[in-house]
Amino acid sequence: MLAQIGLGLISGGYATGAALGWGSERIALVMGDFGLSAAALAAAVSCFLYARGPHRSFRPAWLLFAFSSFMAAAGNAVWGWYEVVLRQEVPSPSVADLCFLLFAPPAIVGLLVLAKKPVTRAGWVCLALDAWLIGGSLLTLSWSLALAHTAYVPGESVARAALSLAYPLLDIVLVSMVLALHFRRSHVNRSAINTAIAAFALTVLCDALFTSPLLREHYSSGQLLDAGWFAGSLLLAYAPWGVRRSADAPPAPRAARQPHSRPLAGSLAALTPYLAAAVCTLGILYNVVEGRRVDRVVVLTGCTVVLALVVRQGIMLLDNIALTHELAQKENHFRSLVQGSSDVIMIAAPSGILRYVSPAASGVYGREAEELIGSELASLIHPEDLGAVVHEVRRFLAAPPSEEPTTRIECRFRSGRGEWLNVESTVNRHQGGLIFNSRDVTERVRLQAQLRHNAEHDPLTDLPNRALFTERVRGALSGRRASDPGTAVLFIDLDGFKAVNDRLGHQAGDELLIQAARRLQDSVRAGDTAARLGGDEFAALILGDGSRDQTERECRVHEIADRLRARLSQPYRLESGNEVRVAASIGVAFAEPGIGAGDLLRNADLAMYRAKAGGKDRVELYAPQMQAEVVRRTELAARLRTALHDGEFALLHQPVVDLTTGRIAAVAAQARWRSAQGILFTPAEFLRAADDSERTAELGRWLLEEAVEQAAERAGIGHRTPVAIRLSARRLLDRSMPLGSVESLLTRHGLPSGSLIIELADTDPRDPRVTFDELEQRLAALRRLGVKIALDGFGSGHAAISALRRLPVDILKLDRGLVEGIVESARLRKITSGLLRIAGDLGMQSVADGVDMPEQVLALRSMGCTHGQGMAFSGPLDEYRLRRALVRDEYPLPAPVPLSVGNRPPIRSHNETPVPPT
């Protein structure tokens, strides 16, 4: 804007000075000659610098404009040299005339470069004809008005006459190019091109006025006519730079342009040949009206103009015929595409009435196109979708077409078969109405719904999976139910499912899960949600009924949970004919204000694990102390990771006594953990915390090394009592404890053969982590090293019997559960007696674990048990007390008394501390 204002002020100042005569004739001559030369030179430098810049469009055109302006500057400088410096008349012809004549040709060629080039030969021919029509008509009119007088001035030389005609003829050619190319200019840098055309048009106008004999006779440098040349040069200098930003910007969208600029420009371009012919006719009529003889130049030029017009019309007629043929082909092609397309194309008027429907409607909608034409589009759309469709159409029509040319709409469409089809439509604008390109996507919608269902449901039971269940719990804790404290989550685990899976196979397990899911679904209310979380874990979301009484809420949900437990615990009849039973442990957690879905699910999970730990087949309500227990166990596990390295573990030994002599036959090594806070933990406590196998393996290695080392020290002072270490079968097969490590340990400490007893625990042959063939080989190798093998937990079930049948065993260790009730239960006495008889028949020693009362000693001895371990003799002892007991090497045995079957309090045989300080 500032550049345009400055340009206007400079041009206006020059025009004002020229109108006032510049104050003196001398200044007028300077400004009229050298002023024009400076302005033209500025235009030449500006166009040249712009063309030399990087990434400039139409570089040759701007270089030609620079040369053209330089010729104008040179001509005006020569003119000023004669008038201002030499103070004499400018000769004719002169060097200035040569420079002025060289102004027009570069400008004409530059305008040709700027033009949008035709793509066909016919286009090039039309461009040439249009230029000649304009030039010929201007030549006819100019010759009639002034040029004929100039050409036939008597007494003038041929050179002077040719020079007089050269200026207007070149200007006519330049004007012809400007007019012919005005409607063919390129869209690239359009503002700069328009400004350059305007500059040349102003220059040509001033040249035409200068050519007029009336003005030329009275012309002198510095007059008002020079202001036009001056403004034209400045406008050409401004053209490439003043519109640089708009040139670099992307072209405006077609819809954003002025709506009437295109039709108006096209109309003027089409009328150009006829206007040119009209101007030519006016030139001839002027001679006729003035009564002059029609000049041969006018006749010849007029004839060529008419001939050019006829040729052009012929070319245009042939072009129109070709275009009509091409349009017909395209229309037929389009019609075949529309009629053969599987998509339905519908055109709706602004009122919503269908004006056109493609034939594909019969195959897609089951309705003929003629039946649909004339009906309202709204009557074909599902009522539930109509509101959304109307809203989207109104929003689309209100949006600018340049920003949103199309939109997509999905709705249900009534078919001729009486069903609703899912239809997807691409919508375009069309003369105030809409074009719908529609296709049937019913199968896709069904597939998407099926995929969504599969992603949110368990494939086996078809119940909601964990993701969908969590989402529904989150929804129940928000919205209008957020303040309902009666909402509860039930976590359900099937007790005994693994045994069914292992015994009858996975197919039977799947049948059981399907039946359990069906029972769960039937047991919850209509608004509640039953889900399978994975494996044999299920869950249920019980929505609250708005009750504020906590006792009533708990009773209601507990009743639902207990009914569900009883329903799931009923026998399951499988397709194989087997009838199986499983129990259900259920944890219940109620929603609290501000609780999240994750916390509520965690609380229900904790309650379920408490139900399993409490005996299974029961319902347990969540209590805050459950979370505190989990936190305590986590902290305990974290402290346990460093306890071994910090020396917080100690080794205690409990004597194994010969029930015949009372002498110590062996000692059982047991680990105790005294934490830095002074708390003493038993193995049952810290082994539950050591849930990772790496920590348990490290503890087992420490126990083995410490027990062997202390046993070797005791053997060195004369106490060769064997030491028993309890290891699980899985740990014995672990790579962290290879066979060579046990052998090197015994060799390193020099422990005599038979001084190490390994009590083998967890020998279930159904455990996939225990391979009995590998375990048998490992135990045989240990026996060759002089290690005795004791089978721990004998009598606890099928596992111990199977292990006894396959594994090389020296000692049988009775399960503590048999010993605890041996005095009171005659049934247990018979079972224990039978097991001890098996041990005797196999020539094995027998050890009873958990012998805490004298009565148990007497009962076991009478049944043939050879050894006992328990509080009836001694508790676990530290190394100092153990050595004292080994020196004494005998414990008093109770005298034989009649065995009572009644309940009697435990009687201790001595005053040893159960857990002595370390």
Side-chain angles (χ1 to χ4, degrees), residues 237-257:
Y238 165 78
W241 302 101
V243 291
R244 181 171 54 182
R245 291 187 179 178
S246 61
D248 296 338
R254 296 182 59 182
R257 299 172 190 166

Side-chain angles (χ1 to χ4, degrees), residues 738-761:
L739 177 61
S741 63
V742 179
E743 182 178 8
S744 61
L745 183 64
L746 297 175
T747 305
R748 184 170 70 250
H749 293 286
L751 195 65
S753 177
S755 298
L756 178 61
I757 302 173
I758 291 182
E759 297 179 353
L760 195 62

Side-chain angles (χ1 to χ4, degrees), residues 793-802 815:
F794 186 69
S796 59
H798 172 74
I801 299 297
S802 298
D815 186 75

